[in-house]
């Protein structure tokens, strides 16, 4: 398709190849640069590899047919992830600006795409750093033996355990009561939780230290934050494999169920996971690659980073499931042990009579001889697969399931510290990209006066974000976070990604883009890139977007709440959102999405007005 | 003589039997369940009469410790209904009068007081040496003067603040240094501008290292 939309004035807005070459040789220009290629690669890997690789991918993998999920994941990685990544790298490297600058250069009407990216990066930064604050809280609490989430606290009279804790579990109680102090409904704010405010300040403080001078400081920080997670994952893999039941977990994770491939939700979830996992459309990747030398091989970078991201997802899933397998086996053994003890006590049999191996046989014999007594006992059935498929994702996996597994391992504080350091590094390196996607567009838009130093700009931004982030450390903060996560970080990104592809291929012009790539990396991108950029990837994005949009609009909106008064406690209760939430949802999803056409209309009106004035 | 002894011996168990009846046990006794294999695994010992003697002795000790004046003996602890599970009922009779049984409440209080000692004698825990009906004593929670998390938080915030201050100071120093350099080069430019009038002299000056400043100029200008 040789379709290119008319784009007057493009030549004037971009630097020509000759000018770029000159810039490169003289090393002039105030744009910051990477100290070396390793910093750039580590920063991009850190941005792409985040908490989602650890707590979303394993859940998707296990719930969508195990090993069979690899097929849609890898196919969509190749058709959607890699082309978009290469596109963002190349356009950033060529036009040498942030996301707002790049899209404004491509066409003044497309500045809305950059603004939408900036808004989404801002909204995501707000809640993502709160998750890091939670991780820091758990990290601070890991330096004690026994771990505070391993046992229930006593109630006031010291006669028994606190009732909420006794009814649910110590880990649930520590998460919902001691960390979040969550209210039963989103309407009740519950006030600011002072300990979480402190952790939030700590999280933004650490981020400020690392981003204070832009990539000058970030580039040094990523040597640690991008490599440490791999080290910790390896340690956990080795430790995990030596635990009982770990292999059952891995087998359960990767057992392929090819029937799931026929389910469209599998493909949709795979596409969404690839897209969100690559942190595309945030604008951070465009920014990072704009600091590269103009002849950097962005094609190779895109392929390498995609492979690393996919490998990390699979590696992290394996590690997580060794630990989940261990936990499930422990629960199964405890369940079975409890049943055996009940039988021994009821029938006064010697301890060696019933073991794990002959439990079923003995139970059947006893049921035949004394059916009434067995029925009265109400023995729970212990099934390992049920325990394994208590698949949890998100914060539930990290702060409830995994922390419980850690309490059952010897030397628990050590594993807790390592685990939370790993989560902290994963989250922080992703935050670098998010903040880059906020700071540099703000500078390009001229929000801050030019005389302000970088330190002041990043300081003010971090301070404002910290204050806005106080929403998430109230009692109802967790519900707000889930809201932001579902709506701010989903639909607008899909729209931006689609617009990016259309913008580069049809407005910037794929021919000009190909020439740029010949100039930058020395050869024309082959037929694979041409096909994916022009047709396949935009089509995939459109399909995912439509599915997401339709399912979001049509489904009933509710949230899950921790309500000790509810009947189904400790199961979380589904509650419908109050009506004023729809305004908030519109602000979260609507404003970034609508800024794309909105900015275009605004620019068009301005141009028409200028023409009208100059005509007069 | 021998006939009397035989009669007593046959009568004694008959006298003891009513003690182990269901009503008496329910009102005055406690059921004990012992799970040695669960607790100790390979190191488990055999439960035999000697162990039972030790149990009776520890309960007598507990009663002595609780009452602190009455001298209980092993013979005051009566054990009934032993099973292969290793569970049995026990009753405590008053040392003054073997027919009088100690009330349940007192037995419970005595066991509670010395629970730890009884458990340690058998290398068991509250769950594996179970007195059915007597709740295990809850360990008091560990209380800290400063919560440990605040200490770690303090350390982290200290490092962060130190980092911020260092980085800001280094930027400030760089700026003042570059401003100073700028002022010095400006002064040098002005000075060179005023010597230009001396023609050839200033060319030989310029060939010299332009970084050298003030002292050389003074020396040469004396010529």
């Amino acid at each position: 398709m040789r379709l290119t939309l008319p784009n007057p004035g493009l030549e004037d807005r971009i630097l020509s190849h000759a000018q770029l070459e000159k810039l490169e040789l003289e090393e002039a220009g105030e744009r910051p640069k990477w100290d070396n290629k390793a910093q750039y690669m580590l920063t991009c890997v850190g941005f792409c590899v985040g908490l989602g690789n650890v707590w979303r991918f394993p859940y998707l993998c296990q719930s969508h047919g195990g090993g069979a999920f690899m097929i849609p994941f890898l196919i969509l990685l190749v058709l959607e992830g890699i082309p978009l990544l290469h596109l963002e790298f190349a356009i950033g490297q060529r036009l040498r600006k942030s996301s707002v600058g790049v899209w404004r250069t491509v066409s003044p009407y497309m500045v809305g795409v950059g603004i939408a990216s900036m808004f989404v990066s801002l909204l995501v930064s707000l809640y993502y750093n709160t998750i890091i604050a939670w991780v820091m809280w758990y990290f601070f609490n890991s330096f004690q033996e026994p771990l505070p989430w391993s046992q229930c606290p006593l109630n006031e009279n010291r006669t028994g355990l606190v009732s909420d804790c006794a009814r649910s579990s110590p880990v649930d109680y520590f998460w919902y009561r001691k960390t979040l102090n969550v209210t039963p409904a989103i309407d009740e704010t519950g006030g600011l939780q002072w300990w979480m405010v402190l952790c939030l300040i700590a999280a933004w403080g650490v981020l400020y230290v690392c981003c204070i001078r832009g990539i000058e400081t970030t580039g040094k920080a990523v040597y640690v934050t991008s490599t440490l997670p791999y080290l910790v994952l390896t340690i956990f893999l080795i430790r995990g494999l030596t635990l009982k039941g770990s292999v059952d977990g891995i087998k359960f994770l990767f057992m392929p169920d090819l029937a799931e491939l026929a389910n469209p939700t599998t493909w949709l979830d795979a596409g969404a996971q690839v897209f969100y996992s690559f942190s595309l459309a945030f604008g951070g990747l465009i920014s990072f690659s704009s600091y590269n030398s103009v002849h950097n091989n962005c094609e190779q970078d895109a392929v390498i980073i995609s492979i690393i991201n996919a490998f990390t997802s699979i590696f992290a899933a394996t590690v997580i499931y060794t630990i989940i397998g261990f936990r499930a086996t422990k629960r199964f053994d405890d369940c079975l042990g409890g049943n055996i003890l009940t039988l021994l006590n009821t029938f006064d049999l010697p301890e060696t009579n019933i073991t794990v191996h002959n439990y079923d046989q003995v139970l059947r014999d006893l049921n035949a001889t004394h059916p009434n007594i067995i029925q009265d006992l109400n023995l729970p059935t212990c099934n390992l697969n049920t325990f394994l498929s208590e698949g949890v994702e998100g914060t539930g996996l990290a702060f409830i399931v995994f922390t419980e597994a850690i309490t059952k391992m010897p030397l628990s504080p050590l594993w807790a510290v390592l685990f939370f350091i790993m989560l902290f590094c994963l989250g922080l390196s992703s935050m670098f990209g998010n903040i880059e996607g906020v700071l540099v567009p703000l500078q390009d838009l001229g929000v801050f006066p030019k005389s302000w130093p970088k330190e002041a700009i990043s300081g003010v931004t971090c301070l404002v974000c910290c204050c806005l982030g106080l929403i998430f450390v109230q009692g109802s903060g967790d519900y707000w976070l889930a809201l932001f996560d579902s709506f701010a970080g989903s639909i607008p990104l899909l729209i931006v990604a689609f617009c990016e592809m259309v913008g580069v291929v049809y407005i910037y012009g794929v021919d000009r883009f190909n020439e740029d790539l010949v100039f930058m990396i020395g050869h024309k991108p082959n037929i694979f890139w041409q096909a994916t950029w022009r047709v396949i990837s935009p089509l995939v994005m459109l399909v995912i977007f439509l599915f997401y949009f339709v399912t979001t609009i049509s489904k009933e909106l509710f949230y899950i709440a921790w309500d000790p008064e509810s009947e189904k406690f400790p199961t979380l209760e589904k509650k419908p959102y109050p009506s004023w939430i729809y305004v908030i949802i519109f602000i979260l999803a609507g404003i970034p999405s609508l800024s794309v056409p909105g900015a275009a209309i605004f620019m068009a009106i301005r141009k028409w007005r200028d023409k009208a004035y100059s005509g007069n | 003589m021998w006939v009397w002894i035989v009669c007593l011996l046959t009568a004694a168990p008959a006298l003891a039997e009513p003690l182990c009846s269901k009503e008496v046990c329910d009102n005055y006794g406690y059921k004990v369940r012992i799970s040695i294999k669960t607790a100790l695994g390979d190191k488990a010992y055999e439960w035999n009469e000697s162990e039972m003697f030790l149990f009776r002795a520890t309960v007598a000790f507990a009663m002595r410790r609780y009452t602190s004046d009455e001298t209980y003996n092993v013979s005051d602890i009566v054990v009934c209904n032993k099973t292969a599970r290793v569970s049995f009922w026990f009753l405590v009779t008053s040392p003054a009068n073997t027919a009088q049984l100690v009330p349940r409440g007192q037995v419970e209080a005595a066991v509670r007081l010395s629970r730890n000692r009884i458990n340690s004698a058998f290398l068991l825990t509250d769950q594996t040496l179970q007195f059915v009906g007597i709740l295990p004593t809850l360990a008091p929670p560990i209380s800290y003067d400063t919560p440990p998390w605040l200490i770690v938080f303090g350390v982290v915030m200290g490092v962060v603040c130190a980092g911020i201050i260092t980085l800001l100071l280094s930027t400030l120093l760089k700026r003042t240094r570059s401003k100073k350099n700028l002022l010095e080069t400006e002064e040098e430019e002005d000075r060179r501008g005023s010597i230009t009038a001396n023609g050839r002299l200033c060319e030989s000056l310029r060939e010299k290292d332009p970084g050298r400043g003030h002292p050389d100029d003074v020396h040469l200008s004396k010529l």
Side-chain angles (χ1 to χ4, degrees), chain A residues 137 140-141 143-144 146 154 159 195 198 202 205-206 208-209 212-213 341 344-345 348-352 453 455, chain B residues 33 35-38 83-85 87 138-139 141-142 144 148-149 152-153 156-157 160 164 167-168 170-171 175:
Chain A
W137 162 257
F140 294 152
N141 274 292
F143 286 91
Q144 40 185 299
L154 301 175
T159 52
W195 58 93
L198 289 180
V206 173
Y208 179 50
V209 165
I212 194 166
R213 284 195 210 139
L341 193 68
L344 286 176
N345 288 349
D348 278 328
L349 305 162
E351 283 180 277
T352 45
E455 289 86 348
Chain B
R33 267 197 214 117
S35 319
I36 310 175
K37 295 236 172 13
T38 319
T83 67
R85 166 72 177 82
S87 70
L138 297 165
I142 314 171
Y144 299 99
W149 75 267
V152 187
F153 169 75
V156 169
M157 279 312 280
V160 165
I164 294 177
L167 286 167
L168 288 176
S170 73
T171 316
R175 274 205 176 189

Side-chain angles (χ1 to χ4, degrees), chain A residues 505-521:
Chain A
V505 173
Y506 299 111
I507 300 183
Y508 185 75
V510 73
D511 291 330
R512 184 189 292 276
F513 194 56
N514 284 333
E515 280 167 22
D516 287 336
L517 276 161
V518 170
F519 167 69
M520 290 197 293
I521 60 180

Side-chain angles (χ1 to χ4, degrees), chain A residues 406-427:
Chain A
I406 287 179
T407 57
K408 300 200 192 319
M409 292 158 67
L411 285 182
S412 325
L414 170 69
W415 304 115
V417 166
L418 278 179
F419 178 64
F420 291 114
I421 280 190
M422 175 186 84
L423 288 186
F424 175 71
C425 287
L426 283 172

